[in-house]
């Protein structure tokens, strides 16, 4: 297994000089553009046209028919070259479908292309991602995606979600001097950072570059046809020699001998089977397109139908990436806990947690906010004071209720055992004093939050389990949290999670653990890659779903890679199937379509093989 340390981001590299608060000047920007220090040309959104053409033209079938076609063009009559229509049609079906998929992905990339706010010459400018240059001062706000690596220069409660890179969904607090990586998102606070790694030098793009080499999808139908074509290739030369000698012996001209020989040899090539397979795959791809599934390689239609192990992440697959209010457990029946929660959530700069609480508790009347302290991952709490209602604090129980009775903290720990997130609400009569935790806090309630499970997840999990497909949940989050979500979704054997930091490095031992267990937490990107390889080494056909840059290597190695439509461009570029609607529940329909197509082709293949023999 690859060293887990290889998946950790490189240490921060200090720039030659800090960009001043007024940003770069026009002259400095022009100088960096002249030196090629821009953010352009570093990311692939889909397969190139050259890759598509090579994959569909440079095949054994086309080689055989192409040689025979060239002989007819050189020695025979045009009407004798009609078999070339099969060659052209077969290639056009594959090229047309895959170019259509490329156009769709490229169009999605253009429509979702982010804009960046940079400070130049002391004024803010909104520019395209490709126009960012090294040392640009980039302004950050909640919801922004980082488009280059850099170093934080100013932070006001800045928090980044680096799950696309690391797989861990917990936000990371970022202060001045901390490293930021492209591909992550700002989930709270604001600030600015100096771009130090642009273009191909960005960490996310370096990771994605490892998976750019194109490989064809493994298809048993295509492999079987290629095996037949290999036999035909070996049989053609001696048969051709015998036919030519036979034709010349009957005193035919060289032109007539060549035409007759090609006519006989063409019958040895299973043209109908190859064309039928391409047409069936193409029709299935069109059917799946109407269900918002993009097929980047036609054999992928069959591939998913043969999968016996499905690996997927928790966030974005089982859950939709958001948290939801679960329950309120009162510690003080007299305190207005509901009103306080509604008042705390009534904040324009609220994070995802407060947004979930705000959906459950509307803002009360008469609660005028006087002062507030925003949430920080370092503090693990937020607070606000209200005129006539005192100060209310919401945060981690071990912080907010520190010094309280042990039974309260023990109760909070028991609630968190099931993988749920527990917050404590406390009240103090005095005002806030800067960013210090108020004195005299009194515990009022526990708020229990859960990750929102996708509505189609249990049904999809049940389908694959009934079909005998082994399910492996692979996540960067805490094993306990992953186990709880997997159990809610109905994943078999979800109650015995594995911490990936304890996994063996030996591929054989790793494969044995993967056979026995179903839920894995704290998994690094390179461990995902090793896990796919270990399963394949044990004879499994593996499908991998993913949406982040951290999934790219595993998607590339898996027999079938399935990317989410809103995932990182790099994942969509290497995946064979793209779920444009982001619905995990779409996969059973893909499997059913693949099985239908496979059964139909296998049913008629015997006829064509008999004819070829």
């Amino acid at each position: 297994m690859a060293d887990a340390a290889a998946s950790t981001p490189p240490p921060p590299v200090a720039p030659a000089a800090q960009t001043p608060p007024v940003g770069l000047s026009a002259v400095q920007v022009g100088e960096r553009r002249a030196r090629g220090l821009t953010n352009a040309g570093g990311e692939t959104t889909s397969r190139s046209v050259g890759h598509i053409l090579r994959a569909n033209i440079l095949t054994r079938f086309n080689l055989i028919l192409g040689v025979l076609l060239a002989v007819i063009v050189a020695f025979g009559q045009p009407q004798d070259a009609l078999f070339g229509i099969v060659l052209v049609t077969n290639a056009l079906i594959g090229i047309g479908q895959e170019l259509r998929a490329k156009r769709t992905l490229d169009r999605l990339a253009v429509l979702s292309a982010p804009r960046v706010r940079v400070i130049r010459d002391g004024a803010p400018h909104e520019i395209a991602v490709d126009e960012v240059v090294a040392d640009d001062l980039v302004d950050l706000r909640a919801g922004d995606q980082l488009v280059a690596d850099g170093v934080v220069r100013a932070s006001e409660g800045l928090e980044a979600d680096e799950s696309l890179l690391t797989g861990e969904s917990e936000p990371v607090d970022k202060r001045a001097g901390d490293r930021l990586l492209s591909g992550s998102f700002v989930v709270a606070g604001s600030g600015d950072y100096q771009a130090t790694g642009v273009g191909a030098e960005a960490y996310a793009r370096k990771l994605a570059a490892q998976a750019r080499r194109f490989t064809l999808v493994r298809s048993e139908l295509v492999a079987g046809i290629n095996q037949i074509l290999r036999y035909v290739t070996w049989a053609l030369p001696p048969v051709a020699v015998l036919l030519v000698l036979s034709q010349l012996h009957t005193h035919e001209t060289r032109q007539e001998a060549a035409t007759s020989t090609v006519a006989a040899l063409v019958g040895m090539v299973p043209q109908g089977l190859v064309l039928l397979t391409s047409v069936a795959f193409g029709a299935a791809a069109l059917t799946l397109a109407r269900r918002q599934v993009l097929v980047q390689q036609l054999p992928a239609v069959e591939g998913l139908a043969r999968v016996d192990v499905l690996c997927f992440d928790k966030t974005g697959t089982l859950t939709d990436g958001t948290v939801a209010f679960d329950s309120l457990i009162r510690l003080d029946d007299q305190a207005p806990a509901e009103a306080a929660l509604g008042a705390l959530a009534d904040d324009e700069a609220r994070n995802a947690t407060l947004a979930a609480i705000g959906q459950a508790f509307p803002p009360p009347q008469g609660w005028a906010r006087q002062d507030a302290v925003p949430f920080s991952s370092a503090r693990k709490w937020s607070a606000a004071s209200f005129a006539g209602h005192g100060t209310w604090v919401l945060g981690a129980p071990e912080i907010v209720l520190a010094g309280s009775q042990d039974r309260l903290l023990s109760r909070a720990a028991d609630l968190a055992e099931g993988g749920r997130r527990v917050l404590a609400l406390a009240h103090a009569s005095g005002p806030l004093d800067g960013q210090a935790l108020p004195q005299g806090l009194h515990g009022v309630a526990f708020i229990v939050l859960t990750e929102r499970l996708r509505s189609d997840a249990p049904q999809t999990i049940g389908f694959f389990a009934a079909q005998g497909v082994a399910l492996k949940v692979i996540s960067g989050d805490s094993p306990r949290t992953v186990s709880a979500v997997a159990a809610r979704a109905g994943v078999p054997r979800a109650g015995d999670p594995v911490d990936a930091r304890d996994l063996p490095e030996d591929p054989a031992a790793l494969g044995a653990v993967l056979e026995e267990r179903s839920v894995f937490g704290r998994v690094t990107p390179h461990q995902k890659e090793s896990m796919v390889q270990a399963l394949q080494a044990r004879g499994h056909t593996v499908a991998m779903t993913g949406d982040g840059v951290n999934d790219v290597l595993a998607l590339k190695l898996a027999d079938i890679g399935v990317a989410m439509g809103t995932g990182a461009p790099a994942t969509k570029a290497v995946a064979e199937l793209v779920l444009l609607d982001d619905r995990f529940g779409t996969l059973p329909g893909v499997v059913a379509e693949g099985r239908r197509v496979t059964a139909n082709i296998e049913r008629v293949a015997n006829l064509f093989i008999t004819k070829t023999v």
Side-chain angles (χ1 to χ4, degrees):
M1 185 175 69
D3 186 355
S7 67
T8 57
V13 178
Q18 289 192 18
T19 303
V22 295
L24 299 177
S25 65
V27 174
Q28 291 172 318
V29 171
E31 176 192 3
R32 284 161 174 76
R33 284 177 179 166
R35 292 162 54 194
L37 300 177
T38 70
N39 210 35
E43 191 144 20
T44 303
T45 58
S46 63
R47 290 169 55 199
S48 69
V49 174
H51 278 162
I52 293 173
L53 293 178
R54 286 194 294 272
N56 289 278
I57 294 176
L58 303 180
T59 65
R60 184 182 295 270
F61 175 76
N62 289 349
L63 174 63
I64 294 172
L65 283 191
V67 171
L68 297 177
L69 181 62
V71 173
I72 285 295
V73 171
F75 297 101
Q77 300 296 322
Q79 60 267 29
D80 296 327
L82 292 179
F83 66 87
I85 295 175
V86 175
L87 184 154
V88 175
T89 302
N90 182 65
L92 287 179
I93 290 173
I95 292 172
Q97 166 59 28
E98 293 178 25
L99 285 178
R100 177 179 175 274
K102 173 180 171 57
R103 285 196 303 271
T104 301
L105 289 180
D106 290 346
R107 186 167 60 250
L108 287 173
V110 171
L111 292 175
S112 61
R115 304 281 291 179
V116 184
R117 292 178 302 277
V118 298
I119 308 299
R120 291 178 179 173
D121 291 317
H125 298 271
E126 189 170 278
I127 62 175
V129 171
D130 289 353
E131 296 176 12
V132 175
V133 300
D135 297 326
D136 248 332
L137 196 63
V138 183
D139 176 50
L140 293 176
R141 303 172 192 171
D144 289 348
Q145 183 176 21
L146 276 71
V147 298
D149 295 354
V151 178
V152 178
R153 292 298 171 220
S155 171
E156 295 182 10
L158 190 66
E159 295 183 14
D161 179 350
E162 298 180 340
S163 59
L164 283 179
L165 300 171
T166 65
E168 296 190 32
S169 59
E170 286 296 320
V172 181
D173 188 54
K174 296 293 183 179
R175 302 179 181 179
D178 287 348
R179 186 80 182 273
L180 287 173
L181 296 174
S182 57
S184 53
F185 287 86
V186 177
V187 294
S190 60
D192 53 56
Y193 81 107
Q194 180 178 344
T196 58
V198 295
E201 294 302 313
Y203 171 70
R205 289 177 175 176
K206 285 182 178 179
L207 191 62
Q210 299 178 41
R212 282 181 184 161
R213 184 174 59 84
F214 172 69
T215 54
L216 288 171
V217 174
R218 166 72 182 175
S219 164
E220 291 190 20
L221 289 175
V222 174
I225 292 172
N226 285 336
Q227 183 68 26
I228 296 171
L229 291 175
R230 274 193 291 273
Y231 295 148
V232 170
T233 303
W234 286 106
L236 283 176
V239 172
V241 171
L242 291 174
L243 285 172
V244 169
L245 292 175
S246 173
Q247 297 300 319
L248 292 176
H249 183 70
T250 59
H251 307 292
E252 292 189 3
T253 65
R254 285 191 301 173
Q255 181 177 353
E256 291 173 338
T259 302
S260 299
T261 300
V262 169
L265 295 179
V266 166
M268 296 176 60
V269 183
Q271 304 171 65
L273 179 58
V274 175
L275 185 58
L276 171 68
T277 302
S278 295
V279 170
F281 282 160
L286 292 176
T287 300
L288 293 175
R290 289 193 288 269
R291 302 178 187 172
Q292 296 298 300
V293 179
L294 199 60
V295 180
Q296 295 215 69
Q297 292 188 56
L298 292 180
V301 174
E302 174 208 354
L304 191 60
R306 298 189 186 277
V307 161
D308 61 354
V309 176
L310 176 61
C311 303
F312 51 92
D313 197 0
K314 170 182 69 68
T315 306
T317 303
L318 294 181
T319 66
D320 61 10
T322 63
V323 294
F325 172 79
D326 181 82
S327 60
L328 174 70
I329 301 175
R330 292 181 174 277
L331 304 177
D332 182 351
D333 293 333
Q334 305 302 318
E338 293 89 344
L341 289 171
L344 286 170
D346 188 21
D347 184 357
E348 293 183 358
R350 63 186 180 183
N351 56 19
T353 299
L354 284 177
I357 292 174
Q359 291 182 349
F361 301 101
Q365 298 292 327
W367 286 61
R369 184 182 295 251
Q370 293 179 316
D371 196 6
V373 175
F375 180 82
S376 163
S377 296
R379 286 190 298 268
K380 297 187 182 301
W381 58 270
S382 63
S385 58
F386 304 91
H389 298 282
T391 298
W392 295 82
V393 179
L394 182 67
E398 65 271 19
I399 303 296
V400 175
L401 301 180
S404 300
Q405 298 178 2
D406 290 341
R407 64 177 183 82
L408 289 181
L409 297 179
S410 177
R411 187 176 181 185
D414 291 341
L415 291 171
E417 275 297 322
R420 296 178 294 180
R421 185 180 178 189
V422 180
L423 299 177
L425 176 68
H427 176 257
S429 56
L432 279 169
D433 183 14
Q435 295 191 352
L437 195 66
Q439 299 295 317
L441 283 173
H442 167 64
V444 171
F446 286 135
I447 296 88
V448 182
L449 303 170
T450 59
E451 291 191 76
R452 193 187 303 274
L453 202 66
R454 285 185 180 271
S455 59
D456 56 0
Q459 182 179 357
T460 305
I461 294 297
F463 169 84
F464 282 111
Q467 296 294 319
V469 177
L471 301 168
K472 308 296 178 185
V473 187
I474 302 174
S475 174
D477 283 341
S478 161
R480 187 177 64 183
T481 301
V482 180
S483 173
V485 173
R488 287 167 53 205
V491 175
R493 299 182 296 177
D496 191 16
V498 178
D499 190 322
R501 292 171 293 188
D502 300 326
L503 285 174
E505 294 189 3
D506 178 66
L510 176 61
V513 175
L514 289 166
E515 292 278 13
E516 298 171 0
R517 312 286 271 276
S518 297
V519 177
F520 302 84
R522 301 298 184 203
V523 183
T524 66
H526 283 275
Q527 280 183 309
K528 290 185 179 183
E529 179 186 0
S530 299
M531 293 167 86
V532 170
Q533 290 175 317
L535 287 167
Q536 291 172 328
R538 298 178 74 89
H540 293 292
T541 302
V542 182
M544 176 80 189
T545 71
D547 60 354
V549 177
N550 64 307
D551 298 319
V552 168
L553 297 177
L555 285 172
K556 185 68 176 179
L557 280 174
D559 296 284
I560 296 294
V562 182
M564 298 297 177
T566 57
T571 62
K572 291 181 284 189
V574 303
E576 286 76 36
L577 299 173
V578 181
L579 306 181
L580 297 177
D581 57 1
D582 276 348
R583 293 184 62 249
F584 186 44
T586 305
L587 284 181
V590 179
V591 173
E593 184 67 21
R595 289 179 175 175
R596 184 185 67 81
V597 170
T598 302
N600 288 340
I601 294 175
E602 290 176 342
R603 193 173 294 119
V604 299
N606 289 335
L607 297 176
F608 286 102
I609 293 173
T610 302
K611 172 250 183 188
T612 298
V613 173

